[in-house]
């Protein structure tokens, strides 16, 4: 691990990340904002905002709330829909060195398959990340919690794409390793773990939840030890590459994931605090 | 549409002073050459509060004024982040990401009315400075606060020449006894070309309601700087949604950080804003 910690990572099916550091889904949009703030093409991979068949408006505000060492979000998968991503965003990725992996989400197998099919002919799309773990939409976790349903979904997507398929796992399960094994058996090329942890914050003056739907997804440094344990369990369970995500703020917290067996990492919330975090992680791993 | 972030940059500046203005109001002055050179009226900076992971996220602050390579911010210690800012000492580093957001459309001819509620004073010195630079002289500031000590001093809205400032306090300790919106009627009689408002979202809604109820012709430029809790401040987290109206008048979400914080008041869904919990809920 140590001598090659910043080298290229082969995720399978021809998807080779130039380096192991990625920008996590939902924390980098479709790349166009961060492209103006950092040298985005030095980062290995961009995992886009969760994209669905139709445009989604997202949840009512407030959508974010801070907690000790972390934040809760309830964005509700606001996105322009896969057709707009294919027609308007993908052409703008032309020539980018960063590998763009489109994160897709849906409420049924058909919706995931539809999104995958729309993206299949687009050269600028380097891979697909299946979000089976969104805590902020109705039924967002249905696939992530049930190994059988997850496997059925992955097999259906596998059947319509030659691209690298990464499955984003939910930590909000009893046995994350069982889900990881099921999606590996169903043909996933890699898994990423973890999505946010279900959490809640109470506004103490009123006794009500801060977030309108009650719960949100917890991210940031507060979850790093939890994510690390989940990723370690996944690494022990599968042979396909594992991408570690959760609470990374610097090279040291990223290296922890490589030590437990991850092949690559994603930086999420820390990008909000400092847009350069992914680059600093990369430089630190090289250093 | 992707936000234009071409002016934004992260820089580590240096605190020059944290001045106590009374009533809990604080003015933080820092050497931040990039921000000072590029901030436009109504834009904001995401300031890091402390070095640790709690508080984690940056906090948004309007750029109150700029002079040479320094910037001023006006705030109050309301929570963990602002408390850390209030404790900064001269020489301490200050990490800023900015300027961010869509600012005021600055008109070239007056009269202009600026309506400030509480800490809503923050963006006005920079705006007034730019209006003056464009030759606009007839600027009326309506400044409201809970009590006299919490009124941003009239002399600080613009230097050296102070604009006309009418004050209102909820408790009557200075100026008009009542809300700043009570002063709108008279200000409107000057047929302003622009009205700019900043303050808590509920106060901005009251300004809009008062304007509409007055039956007077609305100023052609009618803008407000709104607030929302922010994750990133630069358009990627989608956390700062506010209810707005699209061209057809249907309710849509707009991002406070990139579509705003300054929005045309005609395009804001004030009913939706009124239904949101107050900022302290975050
Ligand atoms: C565009 C913009 C410009 C602003 N400019 C100023 C200014 O010039 N002066 C000033 O005093 N305040 C300003 N605010 C409000 C300021 O950002 C909050 O007072 C500050 O974030 C509170 O942080 P805290 O840690 O002290 O409080 P906490 O309550 O501990 O903050 C917790 C979370 O809630 C959010 N939050 C809390 N209150 C507000 C609020 N009123 N608006 C938005 N988010 C909030 C914070 O960002 C943070 O994520 C501005 C807000 C916005 C959106
Ligand atoms: C505001 C926000 C939005 C997110 N949106 C998505 C999403 O659309 N799809 C997804 O798979 N994960 C999403 N995530 C989860 C992140 O990709 C990541 O798994 C999680 O935040 C943990 O990493 P972190 O602690 O580094 O942020 C989102 C996270 C945040 C904070
Ligand atoms: S604060 Fe993140 S999109 Fe506005």
């Amino acid at each position: 691990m140590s001598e090659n910690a910043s080298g290229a990572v082969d995720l399978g099916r021809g998807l080779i990340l130039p380096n192991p550091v990625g920008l996590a889904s939902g924390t980098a949009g479709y790349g166009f904002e961060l492209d103006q703030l950092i040298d985005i093409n030095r980062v290995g991979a961009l995992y886009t905002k969760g994209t669905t068949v139709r445009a989604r408006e997202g949840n009512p505000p407030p959508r974010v709330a801070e907690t000790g060492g972390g934040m809760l979000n309830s964005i509700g998968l606001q996105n322009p829909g896969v057709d707009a991503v294919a027609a308007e965003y993908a052409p703008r990725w032309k020539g980018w060195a960063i590998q763009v992996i489109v994160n897709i989400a849906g409420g049924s197998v058909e919706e995931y398959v539809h999104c995958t099919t729309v993206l299949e002919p687009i050269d600028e799309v380097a891979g697909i990340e299946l979000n089976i773990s969104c805590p902020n939409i109705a039924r967002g976790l249905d696939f992530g919690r049930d190994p059988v349903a997850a496997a059925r979904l992955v097999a259906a997507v596998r059947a319509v794409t030659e691209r690298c398929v990464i499955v984003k796992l939910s930590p909000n399960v009893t046995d994350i390793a069982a889900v990881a094994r099921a999606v590996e058996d169903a043909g996933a090329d890699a898994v990423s773990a973890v999505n946010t942890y279900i959490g809640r914050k109470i506004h103490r003056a009123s006794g009500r939840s801060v977030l309108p739907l009650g719960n949100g997804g917890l991210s940031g440094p507060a979850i790093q030890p939890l994510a690390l344990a989940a990723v370690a369990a996944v690494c022990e369970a599968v042979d396909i590459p594992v991408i570690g995500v959760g609470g990374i703020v610097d090279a040291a917290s990223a290296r922890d994931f490589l030590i437990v067996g991850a092949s690559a990492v994603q930086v999420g919330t820390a990008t909000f605090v400092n847009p350069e975090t992914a680059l600093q992680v990369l430089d630190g791993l090289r250093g | 549409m992707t936000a234009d972030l071409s002016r934004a940059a992260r820089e580590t500046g240096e605190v020059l002073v944290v001045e106590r203005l009374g009533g809990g109001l604080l003015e933080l002055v820092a050497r931040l050459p990039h921000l000072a050179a590029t901030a436009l009226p109504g834009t904001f900076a995401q300031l890091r509060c402390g070095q640790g992971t709690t508080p984690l996220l940056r906090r948004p602050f309007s750029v109150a004024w700029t002079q040479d390579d320094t910037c001023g911010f006006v705030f109050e210690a309301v929570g963990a982040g602002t408390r850390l800012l209030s404790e900064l000492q001269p020489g301490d580093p200050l990490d800023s990401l900015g300027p961010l957001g869509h600012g005021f459309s600055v008109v070239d001819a007056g009269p202009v009315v600026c309506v400030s509620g509480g800490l809503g004073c923050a963006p006005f010195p920079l705006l007034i400075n730019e209006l003056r630079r464009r030759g606009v002289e007839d600027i009326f500031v309506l400044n409201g606060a809970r009590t006299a000590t919490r009124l941003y001093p009239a002399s600080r809205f613009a230097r050296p020449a102070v604009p006309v400032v009418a004050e209102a306090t909820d408790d009557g300790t200075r100026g008009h006894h009542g809300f700043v919106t009570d002063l709108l009627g008279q200000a409107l009689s000057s047929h302003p070309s622009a009205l700019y408002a900043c303050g808590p979202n509920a106060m901005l809604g009251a300004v809009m309601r008062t304007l509409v109820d007055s039956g007077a012709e609305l100023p052609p430029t009618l803008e407000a700087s709104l607030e929302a809790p922010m994750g990133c401040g630069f358009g990627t987290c989608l956390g700062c949604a506010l209810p707005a109206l699209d061209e057809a008048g249907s309710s849509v979400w707009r991002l406070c950080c990139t579509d705003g914080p300054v929005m045309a008041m005609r395009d804001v869904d004030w009913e939706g804003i009124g239904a949101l919990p107050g900022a302290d809920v975050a």
Side-chain angles (χ1 to χ4, degrees):
Chain A
M1 178 288 286
S2 53
E3 70 273 25
N4 200 23
S6 63
V9 179
D10 188 347
L11 292 181
R13 304 238 173 198
L15 175 54
I16 296 172
L17 308 182
N19 66 65
V21 182
L23 296 163
S25 176
T27 63
Y30 293 86
F32 307 120
E33 291 83 15
L34 281 168
D35 182 37
Q36 299 176 75
L37 295 175
I38 64 169
D39 185 358
I40 199 168
N41 286 307
R42 281 185 58 217
V43 183
L46 162 67
Y47 302 82
T48 71
K49 177 65 192 168
T51 301
T52 50
V53 172
R54 272 173 298 280
R56 287 179 57 95
E57 291 180 358
N59 289 339
R63 292 179 175 183
V64 293
E66 195 168 302
T67 58
M71 66 177 282
L72 289 165
N73 85 79
S74 172
I75 307 299
L77 284 178
Q78 178 179 336
N79 79 92
V82 71
D83 292 330
V85 170
E88 292 158 37
Y89 293 174
R92 296 168 65 187
W93 297 326
K94 208 176 184 64
W96 284 19
I98 187 171
Q99 299 294 304
V100 181
I101 295 158
V102 178
N103 180 289
I104 63 181
S108 67
V109 170
E110 292 68 36
E111 288 180 12
Y112 284 93
V113 167
H114 178 88
C115 288
T116 308
T117 310
V118 171
L119 297 169
E120 188 62 9
I122 299 174
D123 290 342
E124 286 73 25
V125 177
I128 301 287
E129 184 177 47
L130 299 178
N131 175 6
I132 59 167
S133 46
C134 184
N136 293 324
I137 59 167
R139 309 195 52 218
L141 277 165
D142 286 6
F143 292 105
R145 281 193 168 143
D146 176 355
V148 176
R152 201 162 49 84
L153 171 66
V154 171
V157 169
R158 177 76 286 155
V160 297
T161 181
E162 291 303 313
R163 292 255 158 70
C164 179
V165 174
I166 302 159
V167 181
K168 177 104 172 249
L169 302 176
S170 172
N172 302 299
V173 296
T174 316
D175 186 359
I176 194 171
V179 183
R181 241 179 268 118
V183 300
E184 177 181 42
D185 290 346
D189 300 298
V191 289
S192 47
V194 292
N195 208 315
T196 53
Y197 285 80
I198 292 175
R200 182 177 291 220
K201 180 176 180 179
I202 298 294
H203 177 241
R204 290 179 185 152
S206 67
R208 278 200 280 272
S209 293
V210 171
L211 297 179
L213 304 186
N215 293 334
L218 182 65
S219 64
I223 71 167
Q224 198 261 4
L226 299 167
L228 207 49
V231 168
V234 171
C235 290
E236 280 166 26
V238 299
D239 294 320
I240 51 178
V242 177
I243 304 162
V245 49
I248 291 172
V249 294
D250 55 16
S253 49
R255 195 176 286 112
D256 291 344
F257 285 93
L258 303 180
I259 288 170
V260 301
S263 307
V265 294
Q266 299 173 3
V267 175
T269 301
T271 297
F272 300 156
V273 181
N274 180 357
E276 290 144 80
T277 306
L279 294 174
Q280 292 176 352
V281 167
L282 180 59
D283 292 340
L285 292 177
R286 286 195 171 137
Chain B
M1 209 182 63
T2 306
D4 178 10
L5 301 168
S6 56
R7 303 174 83 83
R10 199 173 73 87
E11 66 183 320
T12 302
E14 184 194 352
V15 174
L16 298 179
V17 66
V18 181
E19 195 182 346
R20 272 137 187 91
L21 304 182
L25 294 193
L26 301 162
E27 191 156 299
L28 164 62
V29 182
R31 185 171 294 120
L32 289 164
H34 175 80
L35 189 65
T38 52
L40 299 172
T43 59
F44 66 96
Q46 281 278 71
L47 299 181
R48 190 105 161 74
C49 307
Q51 320 279 327
T53 52
T54 304
L56 179 66
L57 301 169
R58 290 170 186 266
R59 303 294 195 249
F61 294 92
S62 305
V63 181
W65 51 264
T66 62
Q67 189 174 17
D68 304 325
D69 62 355
T70 64
C71 296
F73 305 93
V74 184
F75 69 103
E76 167 184 24
V78 292
T82 45
R83 209 168 306 125
L84 283 167
L85 292 181
S86 75
E87 290 161 1
L88 288 171
Q89 299 296 322
D92 284 347
L94 181 66
D95 180 345
S96 154
L97 175 66
L100 294 164
H102 172 262
F104 293 107
S105 341
V106 187
V107 294
D108 294 305
V112 166
V113 178
C114 300
V115 188
S116 158
L119 283 152
C121 59
F124 287 124
L126 190 60
L127 173 64
I128 291 169
N129 190 52
E130 178 59 20
L131 285 164
R132 287 256 174 83
R133 209 183 57 79
R134 294 177 183 222
V136 179
E137 285 303 330
D138 34 1
I139 301 167
F140 304 98
V141 180
L142 310 180
N143 187 21
R146 275 205 306 275
T147 189
T149 51
R150 296 179 54 82
L151 283 167
Y152 189 60
S155 60
R156 295 190 182 230
F157 275 101
R159 281 168 264 202
V162 180
V164 180
V165 180
E167 295 175 329
T169 50
D170 300 358
D171 64 0
T173 44
R174 172 116 51 90
H176 169 74
H177 186 170
F179 295 129
V180 70
T181 42
D182 301 340
L183 306 174
L184 278 171
Q186 204 191 335
L188 283 179
S189 64
S190 68
H191 298 289
S193 63
L195 184 144
Y196 305 106
C198 184
N201 287 351
M203 168 249 168
L204 299 175
V207 169
M208 189 62 181
R209 213 165 34 246
T210 308
L211 291 178
V212 171
D213 291 351
S214 77
E217 200 182 323
L218 298 182
T221 298
L222 179 58
E223 296 183 332
S225 179
L226 286 95
E227 286 189 350
M230 290 186 177
C232 64
F234 47 84
T236 65
C237 76
L238 310 178
C240 61
L242 288 171
L245 302 171
D246 66 10
E247 297 75 22
S250 316
S251 204
V252 289
W253 302 125
R254 296 258 188 259
L255 297 181
C256 181
C257 71
T258 51
D259 297 318
V262 176
M263 299 192 192
M265 292 182 79
R266 291 174 174 84
D267 298 343
V268 174
D269 173 2
W270 292 106
E271 218 171 289
I273 294 277
L276 296 180
D280 71 304
V281 170

